[in-house]
Amino acid sequence: MQSQWDDDAAGQMVASYGAKGIGPDIALRVYTTRLLGRDPLLVLHGGGNTSVKTRARDDLGQEHEVIAVKGSGADMADIEPWGLPAVKLAPLRELRTLDALSDEAMVNFQRLNLLDSTAPNPSVETLLHAFLPHKFVDHTHAASVLSLVDQPDGEALAREVYDGRMGIVPYIAPGFGLAKAAAEVFEQKPDVEGLILHKHGIFTFGETAREAYERMIEMVSLAESRLRQGRPVVFQSRQIPSAIASAAEIAPLIRGACAIKKEGEEPIRFVTDFRTAPEILAYVNGAELASYSQRGVVTPDHIIRTKNKPLVVPPPEAGKLEDFARALREAVAKFIADYDWYFARENAAVGNTKTKLDSAPRVVLVPGVGLFGLGRTAKDASIAADLAENTVKVVTEAEAIGRYEPLPESDLFALEYWSLEQAKLKGAVVKPLTGQVALITGAGAIGAATAKALAAQGAAVAILDIDGEAATKAAAAVKGLGIEADVTKPEQVRAAFALVCERFGGVDILVSNAGAAWQGRIGEVTDDLLRKSFELNFFAHQTVAKEAVRIMLKQGTGGVLLFNISKQAVNPGANFGPYGLPKAATMLLMRQYALDYGQDGIRSNGVNADRVRSGLLTDAMIAARAKARGVSEAEYMAGNLLNREVLAEDVAQAFVQLAVARKTTGHIETVDGGNIAAALR
């Protein structure tokens, strides 16, 4: 591991923040915190914190010695000064005279001593930082250090590697007790450059930001050097079928099996995030996977994101997905039963004071394929997958030099159900479409607006368009997946759905929106033009719906097909036959899907919109049609009973309403401002 410190970059940060009235201590604390946070081998998703002891004034102008420490919700990779709330240092240090302090009292005391009452909660390890005398203190969960200490003789290994340069702190759960113990270890040998927290992580400190940071890099490098002495081949491989099903083929099965189903209620679904690489495959293909993968998380704070153990399933042999699906369901049932029993026995040991979390797995290991992270959102799934990848590295390197042995179950249960850890998840908002995956065809005005509307309700979103750049742009606006695909080409549609399954795990909502409006008097248009319109405005709807249904049936959790039809389907306009005819067929297609797949919980609905500015109704077309009718463009666009222009966002909201209408199918929602001639009833 190499130091990323750069004098010029550090100086620029001091100057930049100085111009905003922020002193060099905070500026340099921000600088090195970002250096640490941007290295995933040091910090992942909240796994670390930093502090600086400095001086600051309150609103009365009185100066205080404070500790500015990473706050809850701040990401070390891009932290700003607000993410380092300042806490009065002297009162914190007085706490050390106490024999005990509850977690809740600790948090309350820290908040009472904030200079800014609106600041985020200081880190749960604030007291550990405060009880140390050094100006700058850094803490990470470095992967190589975890590989070293997650051993039966981890403390002895750490002493061997660091040879007195680091204090060794036995495992104690984070909080007041750990802070006192760490300070005592330091005071026994005040010349140490940092502390190794057994089964937890590493602290380094110094009088300057650079000293504390570069000590972290050096100490982690020493751990890496020791790990390089391990055996080169760590896991003996099990027998894997010669032909393995792809991640895209099995992801919908995994989503469906892991979904939480309750009679009469919408399933609680999870998004997945797939990862594979040679190191991951060596791990999941190991003959002893059922042993080393089930020993527990590599550091305690991972447990709230991944649970203590992953779900392990058999390798999926190509052409035998029914066998895999059966084995998968059995494995999930056993995982849930095991988790329920784990909770029952550990909860009993603490007086039955805890409320059980859901029992669904958050990581799935698939021999021959890779691993899947699961989460209620795409972000949560990505976090779980990141931590699972980190676990692969830590366990592999731990096994290379000995035997991976993390904390015992009872300690990890205490962390999983620790109120201060659970508080990290409290900000998560469950929205109507949380956990669902939406695929939209067409990245024009209506498609882009629908993507935003569905994402705002919690869905993970993928967008297909023949214009790959447009798809990417629309997807980027919602942190989704943009795919270039021609929906009139079945092979491209299948490939696009496979990408969505690999990225998010499947499809729950299809918005079949792509289309184009060809014109001409019906008796004079060419057969080629009419066929071209039917290919896009009818057959493409069938192609994407067919593929979506195939995936929805695999998942077994229902779903919804939403078609952008048109008022032309029921109120045709002159010279619009080439467009209206396939749209009329699409309306009947929508109803046929409602008939044929209602028993599978798959709903099918449509939207009939009119006069919406989009790729179909361009500014030039609006100008021409307004001129032909002798009205202004505004009057033409608002030519309905309500005298209001219909926007792409209005159509998008109709799609959202149909997506959440659990007991509506075979329905057409009209979004046209009022047009009696186009009314269905």
Side-chain angles (χ1 to χ4, degrees), residues 98-286:
L98 300 178
D99 292 328
L101 184 68
S102 73
D103 296 327
E104 290 72 22
M106 178 183 74
V107 171
N108 181 61
F109 193 86
Q110 290 173 180
R111 287 209 63 81
L112 286 172
N113 285 281
L114 284 166
L115 286 195
D116 178 0
S117 66
T118 67
N121 276 342
S123 166
V124 297
E125 288 166 326
T126 294
L127 294 184
L128 199 161
H129 289 256
F131 292 172
L132 294 170
H134 310 81
K135 187 176 182 68
F136 287 88
V137 179
D138 295 354
H139 171 46
T140 74
H141 296 167
S144 59
V145 172
L146 293 175
S147 294
L148 202 68
V149 298
D150 283 347
Q151 300 275 346
D153 58 346
E155 291 185 51
L157 268 173
R159 288 191 179 90
E160 171 200 322
V161 168
Y162 295 112
D163 193 24
R165 295 179 64 186
M166 300 286 282
I168 311 298
V169 183
Y171 178 76
I172 300 173
F176 180 70
L178 174 61
K180 287 192 70 171
E184 289 165 4
V185 168
F186 166 75
E187 288 168 353
Q188 290 169 12
K189 197 172 187 298
D191 62 342
V192 295
E193 300 166 59
L195 300 171
I196 298 296
L197 275 54
H198 190 48
K199 312 288 190 186
H200 179 155
I202 175 173
F203 276 79
T204 55
F205 26 71
E207 289 311 302
T208 67
R210 182 171 187 171
E211 183 178 42
Y213 166 72
E214 292 194 333
R215 280 179 170 174
M216 178 67 71
I217 300 304
E218 182 183 3
M219 298 307 164
V220 172
S221 296
L222 288 173
E224 290 175 337
S225 296
R226 176 63 180 85
L227 295 175
R228 282 195 290 272
Q229 299 173 27
R231 61 183 188 274
V233 178
V234 181
F235 305 116
Q236 296 300 315
S237 182
R238 62 171 288 174
Q239 187 172 359
I240 302 292
S242 57
I244 287 287
S246 69
E249 290 177 292
I250 66 171
L253 296 171
I254 290 171
R255 280 191 81 218
C258 294
I260 301 171
K261 305 176 184 75
K262 296 181 180 179
E263 188 68 31
E265 297 182 20
E266 187 74 10
I268 296 175
R269 300 176 175 92
F270 297 94
V271 180
T272 70
D273 191 314
F274 173 65
R275 307 289 173 87
T276 194
E279 187 175 38
I280 293 172
L281 287 173
Y283 184 89
V284 300
N285 292 350

Side-chain angles (χ1 to χ4, degrees), residues 511-574:
V511 181
S512 189
N513 165 71
W518 284 277
Q519 302 177 51
R521 296 177 72 185
I522 196 62
E524 299 171 15
V525 297
T526 65
D527 287 351
D528 284 346
L529 184 145
L530 195 57
R531 291 178 189 280
K532 187 176 183 180
S533 183
F534 264 89
E535 284 292 338
L536 179 58
N537 294 311
F538 172 72
F539 284 107
H541 289 292
Q542 162 65 353
T543 299
V544 295
K546 183 178 178 181
E547 191 64 19
V549 163
R550 185 183 70 83
I551 291 167
M552 290 173 184
L553 291 174
K554 269 188 172 185
Q555 293 169 167
T557 53
V560 61
L561 309 175
L562 301 174
F563 297 88
N564 189 350
I565 306 175
S566 170
K567 76 99 182 178
Q568 292 291 329
V570 292
N571 176 219

Side-chain angles (χ1 to χ4, degrees), residues 568-583:
Q568 292 291 329
V570 292
N571 176 219
N575 298 324
F576 265 84
Y579 179 62
L581 287 170
K583 285 295 187 177

Side-chain angles (χ1 to χ4, degrees), residues 388-405:
E389 277 200 84
N390 180 261
T391 296
V392 167
K393 180 175 179 59
V394 170
V395 175
T396 299
E397 293 187 337
E399 287 283 302
I401 64 167
R403 174 184 166 83
Y404 172 65
E405 186 178 281

Side-chain angles (χ1 to χ4, degrees), residues 260-344:
I260 301 171
K261 305 176 184 75
K262 296 181 180 179
E263 188 68 31
E265 297 182 20
E266 187 74 10
I268 296 175
R269 300 176 175 92
F270 297 94
V271 180
T272 70
D273 191 314
F274 173 65
R275 307 289 173 87
T276 194
E279 187 175 38
I280 293 172
L281 287 173
Y283 184 89
V284 300
N285 292 350
E288 301 299 321
L289 177 66
S291 172
Y292 54 75
S293 73
Q294 301 298 296
R295 295 178 198 157
V297 291
V298 299
T299 189
D301 75 333
H302 286 194
I303 199 166
I304 61 169
R305 300 288 191 177
T306 65
K307 295 199 179 294
N308 193 26
K309 300 174 182 179
L311 169 67
V312 177
V313 301
E317 187 171 357
K320 296 184 178 181
L321 285 185
E322 288 187 7
D323 293 343
F324 174 74
R326 190 181 309 110
L328 171 63
R329 289 191 296 270
E330 292 171 357
V332 171
K334 183 178 185 303
F335 183 96
I336 290 171
D338 288 348
Y339 185 87
D340 290 348
W341 170 232
Y342 148 78
F343 175 81

Side-chain angles (χ1 to χ4, degrees), residues 423-435:
K424 296 179 182 179
L425 305 179
K426 287 281 168 65
V429 177
V430 177
K431 299 179 179 180
L433 299 177
T434 293

